[in-house]
Amino acid sequence: MSIFDTHNATRQAELALPGRETPIATSDHHAVNGHPLHPPFPSEAEELVVGMGCFWGVERLFWDLPGVYVTAAGYAGGQTPNPTYEETCTGRTGHTEAVRIIYDPSQVSLATLLNVFWEQHDPTQKNRQGNDVGSQYRSAIYTTTTAQHQAAEESAKVFQEALHAAGKGDITTEIKPLDVFYYAEAYHQQYLYKNPNGYCGIKGTGVSCPIG
């Protein structure tokens, strides 16, 4: 980390909202498949958390994939404990809108999840996705195992080559181990299932990700 990055991280921590000790209220079960939104999850399951812009559209990309046990909308990557949506939107929590993916690796590969991640949003846009602007819309992968982390970094290199070949820019995606995932409010969970005509600003680059 450079001196500039260290200064920015310190400044962000100083400006971060205080949050709260108690988790905010959310749903208990997934509106689409009925599975519990909270642990404990099946013993064979693994967890990956991604940020690709507005979490309404992102969650829908993953909940129907065979092998995905449950998904949840929330906040990750920042400093504020148990933030609200309104707080996250100020940019002063440090979090990005994120989706928790609990999946069975024997039924759906990590490469499949990463393919969806890279192809279904634009990772070259820093702190935005289309008309959604702000650090809460940044591209991110938060890993929970060493193998996941290595695979995510390798996939970024491969997709970067594909983007450059297509005349696109540099990837800005944040890739780091997951610290804490905070659940979003109940009305955000499976939002586009509950509101089929709701807003979705997710849009890819049109470039295929050659992994898997």
Side-chain angles (χ1 to χ4, degrees), residues 7-201:
H7 174 76
N8 277 350
T10 302
R11 184 62 174 159
Q12 287 176 353
E14 291 173 348
L15 295 175
L17 297 175
R20 56 202 48 79
E21 293 183 5
T22 305
I24 60 175
T26 191
S27 306
D28 291 324
H29 293 85
H30 199 276
V32 179
N33 63 28
H35 290 162
L37 228 59
H38 301 266
F41 299 122
S43 59
E44 67 275 11
E46 293 189 10
E47 173 184 5
L48 183 70
V49 174
V50 300
M52 302 166 59
C54 177
F55 48 23
W56 294 347
V58 176
E59 190 182 9
R60 183 172 63 178
L61 292 172
F62 293 97
W63 72 46
D64 277 337
L65 288 180
V68 171
Y69 177 76
V70 76
T71 57
Y75 315 107
Q79 299 85 32
T80 299
N82 299 300
T84 65
Y85 177 70
E86 288 74 18
E87 289 170 343
T88 302
C89 286
T90 68
R92 291 182 57 200
T93 70
H95 295 293
T96 187
E97 292 189 17
V99 170
R100 181 184 225 178
I101 306 164
I102 305 298
Y103 67 100
D104 182 345
S106 70
Q107 296 184 38
V108 60
S109 69
L110 177 60
T112 296
L113 301 181
L114 291 172
N115 261 306
V116 173
F117 173 82
W118 292 120
E119 292 181 359
Q120 298 301 319
H121 80 302
D122 185 349
T124 70
Q125 297 187 64
K126 186 173 178 61
N127 292 334
R128 71 179 300 165
Q129 282 298 306
N131 294 326
D132 294 327
V133 180
S135 60
Q136 71 270 29
Y137 298 116
R138 69 184 182 273
S139 175
I141 302 174
Y142 300 118
T143 60
T144 59
T145 69
T146 300
Q148 274 187 1
H149 196 85
Q150 292 174 343
E153 290 192 328
E154 182 59 33
S155 70
K157 294 176 183 177
V158 172
F159 194 50
Q160 183 66 83
E161 293 176 358
L163 287 171
H164 282 168
K168 306 292 184 180
D170 293 336
I171 287 173
T172 65
T173 302
E174 177 179 64
I175 301 176
K176 66 180 185 180
L178 177 67
D179 183 7
V180 182
F181 173 83
Y182 296 104
Y183 287 91
E185 295 82 345
Y187 75 94
H188 288 302
Q189 304 300 334
Q190 300 82 62
Y191 182 87
L192 291 180
Y193 174 78
K194 302 169 185 174
N195 303 274
N197 296 318
Y199 170 78
C200 177

